[in-house]
Amino acid sequence: MVTIRVKVLQDSLVQSSILSYLLRRFGYERCKLFEGDRKHSLETNYEISKQRVGYKPRRDTLPSDYSALGFKCGLEIHQQLMTERKLFCRCPAGLYNDKTDYDAEVVRHMRPTLSELGEYDGTALMEFRTRKTIVYRLKNRTACTYEVDDTPPFKIDRQALEIALRIALMLKTNIVGELHITRKQYLDGSIPTGFQRTGIIGIEGEIPLSNRKVRIIQISLEEDSCREVSDIGHMRTYITDRLGMPLIETVTYPDMTTPDEAAEAGYYLRYLARSSGQVRSGIGAARQDVNVSITGGTRIEIKGVAHIAWIPELTHNEAFRQKALLEIAEQLNLNLDVARWKLIHKNVPPRLLSGFYSMMPDLPASHRLIAVNLPGFKNILSFFTQPRRVFADELSDRLKVIACLEKPNILVSEHCRDELVLSETDLDSLRELLKSRDNDAQVLIWGHEDDIPTAIETIDERCRMAFEGVPNETRKGLPDGTTIFERVLPGADRMYPDTDSAPIPIEDDLIEKLQQDLPPEICDRFEQLREWDVPEDTYEYLLSKNLVPVIERISGECGLTPRFVGCFLGHTLKRLEGCKPWTPGFSYSKIYGLARFVADLGLDNAILKEMLPVVYEHPNIVFDSVLTTIGYSKISREQILSHVPILRQKFNDVCTSKNPNACTDWIMGNLRKMALGNICLAELRAAIDKGVDGD
Amino acid sequence: MPELADVCNLATEKLFAVFSENMGPRQYIELAKAIGKEIKNGIDGIVIGHGTDTMHHTAGALAFMIQNPPVPIVLVGSQRSSDRPSSDAALNLIHATTAAATSDIAEVMVCMFGPTSDEYGLLHRGTRVRKMHSSYRSTFRTIGDIPLAMIERDRITPLTDAYNRRRTDREVKITPFFEERVAMVYYYPNMQPDIIDSLVDNGYRGIVIAGTGLGHVNKPVYPAIERATKKGVAIYMTVQTLWGYVHMFVYDTGRDLMARGIVPAENMLPEVAYVKLGWALGQTDDLDEVRRIMLTPIASEITEREPYNGYLIYQGGVPEVEAFLKKVHK
Ligand SMILES: [Zn+2]
C-alpha cells in the first residue's frame, strides 16, 4: 500500500488535476488522502469518485465512450389520440379541469396483490405498510362511475381503435387478429382500479433513423392515467380528468446506442404519430418513458419525460449513474461481506444533538430521531452518482417515496451538499452513541414513529442493494437532466388478462381500408422538405405540427413555392406563436384563405408576412380590411420606380456613407411599405441597383 | 286550490277515474292521443294528476308514445291524501303547475317532493324515475342520474342543461302502440325454467328479466331462454339493483346468456324496459327492428354515462347534497 500525502490545495482546479493524476497513476483504492479538514477532503470525495466513474459532460462524450460503457436505450412513447370520447367509457376526452376545481372526492387504498407464485413483492409490501391514502378528485363533466372503478368497462371506442390501427400500420407492425385487453398493474394509485387496461394492436415493426433501423417491439392501445395534484406524507391526490383517455404506447427495442440517437428516435416517432393528423398535441399529450442500461447495469426506466429534448441529458446521466453504482459495488465488495453486513440504529436521546435542533427546533412529539451506523460505508455516501447528486440522495429519495418521510429527511456524516451534512458536534455525538468505527458512515433520519421501521428497512435494503450494483426501479426525469427514484418495479407478472372485456376481432376489411389511406413516411417527408429547399431550421416545427400537407395545399393552389410557404409557416407563424397562443377561430385554413386572397388579387406574396399577424390576432377579420390595417394601397410598378431618382438625389444630399449598398438600402427602406404587395422586393432592389429608375 | 290561479290559466279535463294500479296500456294510449290533441290545439303545458303507485310506468309509456313534445308534460300526485291539513298534494300541484306553465324543459316528467319537508320539489325525467318508498313523501327518485330541476313556488333551478328545450311549434309525434303480451320476470334464486316456458306457451312475445348483479339468472333457466328466443320471443336483461348498467361480458354467466339470445338493455330501469318492449312490439314484428328500437335511446331511458352522483338515494345534483359530498368523501 502506497500512502500519498496530498496537502489539499485551495485551488480546486490544480487540486483536481493532481488528483486525477494520482488516480491514474495509483488507482483509487491505493490513494488515501491526508485529511486536514473534513469538508475539504469530502468535497474531494465527490470529485474523486466522479473521476473514478469517468464522468464527462455530454458535449465531451464521444460515441465511442458510450459504446465502451455498453450504453443501450429504448423508448416507450405515449401519445394521446384525438378522439371525442375516452377509451372504455363515454366521457368526453381532452377536457381538463383546473386541479382545484372538482365536485367530489373519493378515497382508496392500494393493496399489493399476490403474484402467480403466491408471493408479495418485498418492497411493494414495505411501501404498503406505510399506507398511502389516495384521493381522487372528480368532476362530473369529465368523469363517470367507470373512472372511479365503480362500473365495468363499456365497449371500446371505435374511433380510438381505428386511429391506433392506422398508426400501427404506419409503423409497419403486424396487426393482431384479435385485440385482447389486459391489465397492467399500477400500485401508485395513478389509476383507481390499480391497473391500466391495455391491448397490443401490432407487433414487430421498424423505423428508419439516419444511421440505423430501430425495431419496434409493439404498439398498444391503452387508457391514460390520472394527473397528480400533490403527494405529501401519507396522502397522494389525483385528478381524474385525463384518466381513461385513449393513448398509444409504442415500444422500441433498446437499439439506440447514444443519447442523441434516442432523441432522434423519439422525434421520429412523434412526427410519425403527428403525421396521422389524429393525435393530440400540447402539454402532456405525448410523454416518453426512456429505458437505459449499460454493461453490468440494469434496465432503468425514466418515466414521463415531458420533452424529447431532455432525453439526451437524462440518458447520459443515467448511464453514468449506473457506472457509479457499479463502482460503488466494487468498492464495497472489496472490504465487506454483504451476508454479514448489518446496520446499527439507535434512538437519539433528546438534546444530544445541538446542530440538528438549531435547524429543526420544533419536531412534533410523535416524531423520532434515529441514528444509523453503516459499517464500512465511509466515502460511499458522498460518492458521485449524478451531477450534484451523491449516494446519500439514493437513500433520501427512497425514504420519501417508500417511508413517506418528507424531505429534508436525512443528514449524513460525509460532506456533499450543505443541506445533507451533519454538524461536527452532532457527528461526534452520533459516532459515540453508535460506537462507530473509522470506516463507518452515519446517517440521521427523523419522522413519525410509525414510519420509522419502514425507514430503517428502506435504508437497510438500499445499502444491501449497493453491493449488487444497480437496483431495478423506475426513475423520474428532472429538467436539470438528473433523475430521482420514483418507485420499485412490480414483478414481471404485472400483466394479466382483463376478464371484464371480450376480445375484439379486428376485421381484415378494416385494415385494408386503413392501409389504403396512410400518410407518406416521415423519412420521405424529410426528403420532400429537402427537395423543396425549405430551410432545415424549420423541419422540427413543420414535422411536429404535421404541416407538410398544408404546405402542399397552399403552394399548389395559391401559386407559391413550397419553400416560401415552408418559411412562412416555419418562421413567420412560429414567431407569432412564440409571442401569443392561437386566437380562437384561427386555423390553417385561414392561412390558406389568406394566401388564396393574395393570389387572386395578384399581389406580391411578401405582403403575406405583414398580413399574417393581423389575421392571427383577429381571425374573423375580412381580408380586405387587413390590407387597410397594414396601410396597403395599390400602386403600379412604374409609379413606385418613379420615386427612385428623387430618393437617390435626397440620399446623396444627406448621407456620406462609404458602404456601396447604403444607397440602395436607404431607398428600399423608404419604398418598402409602398412596394409591399405591389412589386417583388428583390426585383425592386435589382431595379434600383441597375439604376433603372423608371421613366 | 287558491294559489293556482296566480300561476296560469288552468283548464282541466278528467280522462279516467281509476286507481293507479289499474292504469294500463289502453289508458296510456288514450292519454297519449289526448295530449297530442292538446298540444296541436296550442296548450303551453300539461299537468297530469296520477296515483303515485304506477306513475313511473305511465311516465315511461308517455315518454315513448309522445316523442319530442314542444311543451312540458308533468305527472303529479300526492303521498298524503288531500283531506289532511299536512297533505303534500297542494304543494306538489303548485310545483307541477309552475313547471308546466313556466319551465323550459319540454319532456315527460314527474314532479314530486324533493325532501320530506315542505320545501321544494324535484322534476324527474319520466324514463329515469321510480317510486322508491311505499309511503314517504319524497318517494320518487331519479335513478342513475341526477334530477332535471329543483322547483320551488316561484323558482325553477335546473340541475343540468342536458334536456329538450320548450319550443313554439306544435310538432309532436304520437306513436300510440302497445303489445300487451309482454311480461316482466323478477329473477330469484332457484327460479325454475317453467316460469319462462309458461310465458312462451301462453303466447307472450316479449319478456324483460330483472336479473341479479350485472344481469344474471341461474343455469337451470338457460334452456328455457334458448327455447324462448328460438321461438321468436324477445328477451331483454335489466338489473334488479336498479342503479348501474347490465354488463354481460364480465362473467361467464352473462356471456352464456347472450349466446342464448338475451339482449342486455344497458341501464334501462326494469319497468321502463317493460313499457318500451310493449311499445316496440306494438309497432313491429321484426325482431331486429325491435332490437334497434330497444337499444336506441329515445328519452334518456338509456344514458351514455352514469355520473358519480347519480347513485344517491338522497338525490345527487341538489345543492345541499353536493355541498355535503364535497365536505365528506363520497
Ligand atoms: Zn367516464
Side-chain angles (χ1 to χ4, degrees):
Chain A
M1 176 120 188
V2 188
T3 304
I4 303 161
R5 296 190 162 235
V6 181
K7 189 161 182 288
V8 176
L9 299 167
Q10 291 305 312
D11 183 343
S12 63
L13 201 76
V14 177
Q15 176 183 313
S16 79
S17 58
I18 292 176
L19 280 169
S20 83
Y21 166 76
L22 293 172
L23 285 167
R24 278 200 306 275
R25 176 74 180 74
F26 300 104
Y28 177 82
E29 291 75 33
R30 300 170 66 198
C31 185
K32 270 204 162 176
L33 286 163
F34 172 72
E35 296 181 14
D37 148 20
R38 185 170 66 109
K39 181 167 176 182
H40 267 120
S41 68
L42 290 166
E43 223 173 39
T44 315
N45 187 45
Y46 171 83
E47 288 298 333
I48 294 171
S49 52
K50 188 170 166 184
Q51 296 271 359
R52 176 172 172 180
V53 169
Y55 182 85
K56 291 192 244 183
R58 188 161 64 88
R59 59 172 186 279
D60 301 337
T61 312
L62 302 169
S64 57
D65 295 327
Y66 292 115
S67 60
L69 281 171
F71 179 96
K72 271 203 224 168
C73 174
L75 295 175
E76 290 177 22
I77 306 260
H78 299 99
Q79 170 69 60
Q80 290 180 344
L81 305 182
M82 185 62 95
T83 58
E84 274 167 46
R85 293 160 188 243
K86 293 186 176 181
L87 189 57
F88 289 114
C89 70
R90 287 87 170 239
C91 290
L95 291 180
Y96 287 109
N97 312 320
D98 187 276
K99 284 182 176 175
T100 56
D101 175 21
Y102 57 96
D103 295 323
E105 289 186 334
V106 171
V107 171
R108 296 270 158 77
H109 296 104
M110 295 291 151
R111 305 182 61 87
T113 51
L114 286 173
S115 74
E116 270 162 30
L117 298 170
E119 292 166 343
Y120 285 114
D121 183 82
T123 316
L125 201 62
M126 197 153 80
E127 193 173 353
F128 171 63
R129 278 216 301 275
T130 58
R131 274 199 302 171
K132 277 254 180 197
T133 292
I134 317 269
V135 178
Y136 298 101
R137 292 185 173 170
L138 307 176
K139 183 98 185 134
N140 245 336
R141 201 166 67 110
T142 54
C144 67
T145 48
Y146 172 72
E147 277 86 342
V148 284
D149 191 27
D150 272 330
T151 201
F154 295 90
K155 274 191 191 132
I156 198 163
D157 184 70
R158 284 299 294 192
Q159 198 186 5
L161 181 60
E162 291 191 13
I163 299 171
L165 283 169
R166 190 150 174 262
I167 296 173
L169 289 169
M170 289 159 65
L171 286 167
K172 302 197 178 72
T173 56
N174 303 309
I175 307 293
V176 297
E178 253 184 2
L179 174 60
H180 289 262
I181 306 298
T182 49
R183 300 175 175 183
K184 196 193 281 178
Q185 248 189 39
Y186 278 83
L187 285 174
D188 61 357
S190 60
I191 302 185
T193 43
F195 56 77
Q196 177 189 44
R197 290 194 166 92
T198 170
I200 295 173
I201 295 273
I203 54 165
E204 299 292 335
E206 60 176 37
I207 52 167
L209 298 192
S210 48
N211 285 329
R212 73 180 75 242
K213 284 200 156 108
V214 167
R215 296 165 301 150
I216 305 294
I217 298 177
Q218 65 188 49
I219 168 170
S220 305
L221 176 58
E222 55 191 36
E223 51 187 357
D224 209 340
S225 56
C226 292
R227 293 192 296 148
E228 189 179 299
V229 177
S230 61
D231 182 9
I232 301 160
H234 287 264
M235 185 148 97
R236 193 180 294 144
T237 306
Y238 289 108
I239 188 149
T240 53
D241 49 8
R242 191 181 74 185
L243 175 67
M245 279 171 61
L247 53 83
I248 46 166
E249 183 204 54
T250 309
V251 186
T252 75
Y253 280 92
D255 286 350
M256 282 74 85
T257 55
T258 65
D260 286 333
E261 231 169 55
E264 190 191 350
Y267 281 121
Y268 196 97
L269 287 167
R270 169 163 302 176
Y271 299 156
L272 182 139
R274 293 273 172 87
S275 75
S276 73
Q278 295 169 302
V279 299
R280 291 188 186 276
S281 53
I283 296 164
R287 309 184 296 277
Q288 24 281 321
D289 296 348
V290 185
N291 56 68
V292 182
S293 67
I294 63 165
T295 310
T298 305
R299 179 180 170 281
I300 291 294
E301 227 173 278
I302 306 167
K303 290 277 203 186
V305 179
H307 303 285
I308 294 174
W310 292 3
I311 291 179
E313 198 64 23
L314 287 169
T315 52
H316 170 85
N317 285 334
E318 174 55 23
F320 281 102
R321 189 187 71 97
Q322 296 195 18
K323 182 72 174 21
L325 295 179
L326 294 175
E327 294 288 340
I328 288 173
E330 198 189 317
Q331 173 76 15
L332 287 172
N333 287 309
L334 210 61
N335 305 315
L336 300 167
D337 174 9
V338 66
R340 290 196 298 175
W341 187 86
K342 203 168 181 314
L343 62 72
I344 308 277
H345 59 91
K346 285 222 163 91
N347 257 308
V348 182
R351 281 188 298 279
L352 183 67
L353 305 177
S354 54
F356 177 80
Y357 280 106
S358 69
M359 190 181 109
M360 295 214 116
D362 35 42
L363 207 59
S366 58
H367 280 47
R368 295 283 167 271
L369 263 173
I370 305 291
V372 184
N373 192 56
L374 305 172
F377 264 59
K378 186 173 187 180
N379 284 345
I380 297 296
L381 294 178
S382 56
F383 202 103
F384 167 92
T385 52
Q386 306 179 72
R388 299 168 304 283
R389 293 282 175 280
V390 290
F391 184 77
D393 290 297
E394 301 264 323
L395 299 180
S396 172
D397 293 348
R398 282 188 173 234
L399 286 174
K400 156 86 178 88
V401 175
I402 300 172
C404 300
L405 301 187
E406 284 303 314
K407 288 187 187 178
N409 53 19
I410 194 168
L411 291 177
V412 302
S413 54
E414 299 178 7
H415 187 79
C416 23
R417 291 194 314 284
D418 284 345
E419 72 267 23
L420 283 177
V421 187
L422 280 160
S423 73
E424 288 292 335
T425 49
D426 284 0
L427 181 59
D428 291 342
S429 312
L430 290 186
R431 280 188 168 144
E432 203 180 307
L433 176 76
L434 293 163
K435 302 192 175 59
S436 306
R437 285 182 302 182
D438 223 24
N439 270 336
D440 300 350
Q442 294 78 36
V443 305
L444 178 71
I445 59 169
W446 59 94
H448 193 279
E449 55 190 357
D450 294 348
D451 296 333
I452 292 299
T454 308
I456 294 166
E457 256 184 83
T458 303
I459 293 179
D460 183 62
E461 188 188 53
R462 183 61 189 89
C463 289
R464 287 175 186 282
M465 285 170 165
F467 289 82
E468 287 168 41
V470 187
N472 201 359
E473 64 193 28
T474 64
R475 300 183 65 83
K476 186 167 144 189
L478 301 178
D480 71 356
T482 62
T483 58
I484 54 170
F485 172 77
E486 188 181 62
R487 54 190 25 262
V488 290
L489 274 183
D493 46 66
R494 56 204 267 256
M495 300 274 284
Y496 55 105
D498 180 34
T499 46
D500 295 342
S501 4
I504 300 144
I506 295 173
E507 308 87 11
D508 291 344
D509 299 0
L510 176 62
I511 294 178
E512 258 163 53
K513 193 191 93 189
L514 293 169
Q515 189 90 58
Q516 276 160 18
D517 186 31
L518 294 184
E521 285 194 52
I522 293 302
C523 49
D524 296 342
R525 293 240 151 124
F526 272 115
E527 199 43 51
Q528 175 77 83
L529 288 171
R530 260 178 235 124
E531 232 167 69
W532 284 340
D533 198 22
V534 175
E536 219 160 295
D537 64 347
T538 62
Y539 288 8
E540 188 191 329
Y541 176 83
L542 295 174
L543 290 172
S544 72
K545 306 256 167 184
N546 193 29
L547 291 179
V548 174
V550 178
I551 296 175
E552 255 163 4
R553 177 162 180 234
I554 295 179
S555 63
E557 295 177 32
C558 307
L560 297 166
T561 63
R563 181 185 153 88
F564 175 83
V565 182
C567 295
F568 187 50
L569 298 172
H571 292 151
T572 316
L573 177 62
K574 187 182 173 199
R575 208 171 303 127
L576 289 171
E577 285 175 358
C579 302
K580 190 172 172 277
W582 283 28
T583 314
F586 185 75
S587 66
Y588 293 119
S589 341
K590 287 277 174 207
I591 301 178
Y592 168 80
L594 185 66
R596 191 75 261 174
F597 172 79
V598 166
D600 288 349
L601 284 186
L603 302 183
D604 181 70
N605 55 29
I607 200 167
L608 280 169
K609 294 184 182 172
E610 300 290 317
M611 294 175 81
L612 186 64
V614 183
V615 178
Y616 187 76
E617 184 89 20
H618 310 284
N620 296 321
I621 195 170
V622 184
F623 293 143
D624 276 317
S625 354
V626 180
L627 289 179
T628 321
T629 312
I630 63 167
Y632 168 82
S633 58
K634 189 160 177 59
I635 301 173
S636 74
R637 180 193 154 88
E638 289 68 32
Q639 262 177 301
I640 296 167
L641 289 177
S642 71
H643 289 272
V644 175
I646 307 154
L647 287 168
R648 200 188 294 281
Q649 187 58 49
K650 234 182 185 174
F651 176 80
N652 291 335
D653 293 348
V654 296
C655 187
T656 51
S657 169
K658 295 272 184 301
N659 180 348
N661 293 326
C663 179
T664 309
D665 287 348
W666 189 78
I667 299 176
M668 280 297 287
N670 276 281
L671 287 181
R672 191 173 183 280
K673 195 166 176 198
M674 188 194 289
L676 204 64
N678 290 318
I679 179 170
C680 167
L681 295 178
E683 203 181 305
L684 176 63
R685 174 177 280 276
I688 298 168
D689 270 347
K690 263 198 235 152
V692 183
D693 291 355
D695 300 324
Chain B
M1 285 283 306
E3 298 100 321
L4 284 187
D6 299 337
V7 178
C8 61
N9 294 318
L10 204 61
T12 57
E13 184 178 351
K14 186 165 182 173
L15 282 178
F16 333 103
V18 297
F19 282 116
S20 176
E21 56 271 27
N22 296 327
M23 283 293 289
R26 247 167 295 167
Q27 286 77 18
Y28 303 154
I29 288 170
E30 203 174 321
L31 199 49
K33 285 179 177 165
I35 291 170
K37 207 187 292 167
E38 291 299 338
I39 289 174
K40 293 236 156 68
N41 287 343
I43 203 126
D44 289 326
I46 288 167
V47 176
I48 302 160
H50 198 293
T52 56
D53 284 4
T54 65
M55 186 145 63
H56 54 287
H57 297 82
T58 305
L62 293 182
F64 298 125
M65 290 182 180
I66 307 168
Q67 286 184 30
N68 209 13
V71 299
I73 299 169
V74 187
L75 285 92
V76 68
S78 67
Q79 280 290 83
R80 290 293 165 280
S81 57
S82 46
D83 62 315
R84 68 173 82 190
S86 66
S87 169
D88 57 337
L91 194 52
N92 275 333
L93 194 57
I94 291 168
H95 289 155
T97 317
T98 306
T102 65
S103 100
D104 186 38
I105 310 173
E107 299 201 18
V108 175
M109 295 171 279
V110 164
C111 175
M112 291 289 285
F113 264 38
T116 186
S117 310
D118 290 350
E119 274 181 64
Y120 60 83
L122 290 172
L123 280 176
H124 306 276
R125 194 166 250 147
T127 52
R128 297 236 61 88
V129 66
R130 199 169 186 281
K131 186 170 182 179
M132 297 301 290
H133 196 282
S134 59
S135 56
Y136 232 73
R137 283 168 165 78
S138 51
T139 174
F140 282 91
R141 305 279 93 174
T142 290
I143 310 286
D145 206 340
I146 58 170
L148 288 167
M150 275 175 86
I151 181 153
E152 291 150 282
R153 282 168 182 261
D154 51 356
R155 186 163 44 153
I156 299 172
T157 314
L159 301 175
T160 168
D161 57 4
Y163 56 80
N164 291 334
R165 302 292 191 277
R166 182 192 279 275
R167 308 192 306 272
T168 50
D169 67 62
R170 297 289 111 192
E171 302 300 320
V172 62
K173 189 178 168 207
I174 306 293
T175 47
F177 308 106
F178 206 96
E179 165 58 59
E180 299 204 11
R181 301 197 79 70
V182 171
M184 177 151 69
V185 173
Y186 196 94
Y187 170 76
Y188 48 91
N190 199 37
M191 188 171 99
Q192 297 302 309
D194 53 7
I195 301 282
I196 304 289
D197 286 337
S198 61
L199 287 171
V200 175
D201 296 340
N202 282 304
Y204 276 78
R205 294 180 54 215
I207 302 172
V208 169
I209 298 177
T212 53
L214 295 167
H216 301 138
V217 297
N218 63 6
K219 265 215 166 79
V221 182
Y222 289 9
I225 285 168
E226 201 162 355
R227 173 171 172 264
T229 54
K230 279 197 177 138
K231 288 201 166 195
V233 178
I235 308 190
Y236 286 80
M237 180 63 81
T238 60
V239 289
Q240 291 175 6
T241 57
L242 304 179
W243 272 271
Y245 291 76
V246 182
H247 278 283
M248 299 183 75
F249 278 109
V250 177
Y251 296 108
D252 285 343
T253 315
R255 299 172 207 223
D256 291 346
L257 286 168
M258 285 198 295
R260 287 169 173 79
I262 284 197
V263 182
E266 301 265 348
N267 67 338
M268 249 188 280
L269 292 167
E271 296 81 5
V272 173
Y274 159 76
V275 290
K276 193 175 184 190
L277 187 55
W279 176 71
L281 282 165
Q283 299 172 66
T284 175
D285 291 332
D286 177 354
L287 287 182
D288 288 338
E289 177 62 5
V290 168
R291 188 189 170 108
R292 192 194 61 78
I293 295 172
M294 284 299 283
L295 298 183
T296 308
I298 288 163
S300 302
E301 73 280 14
I302 295 172
T303 57
E304 291 205 311
R305 48 199 285 264
E306 185 184 0
Y308 77 94
N309 54 353
Y311 172 59
L312 283 175
I313 200 86
Y314 194 52
Q315 214 62 80
V318 177
E320 60 258 35
V321 178
E322 295 298 316
F324 171 77
L325 280 178
K326 215 161 180 176
K327 270 182 259 147
V328 178
H329 293 304
K330 186 194 158 196

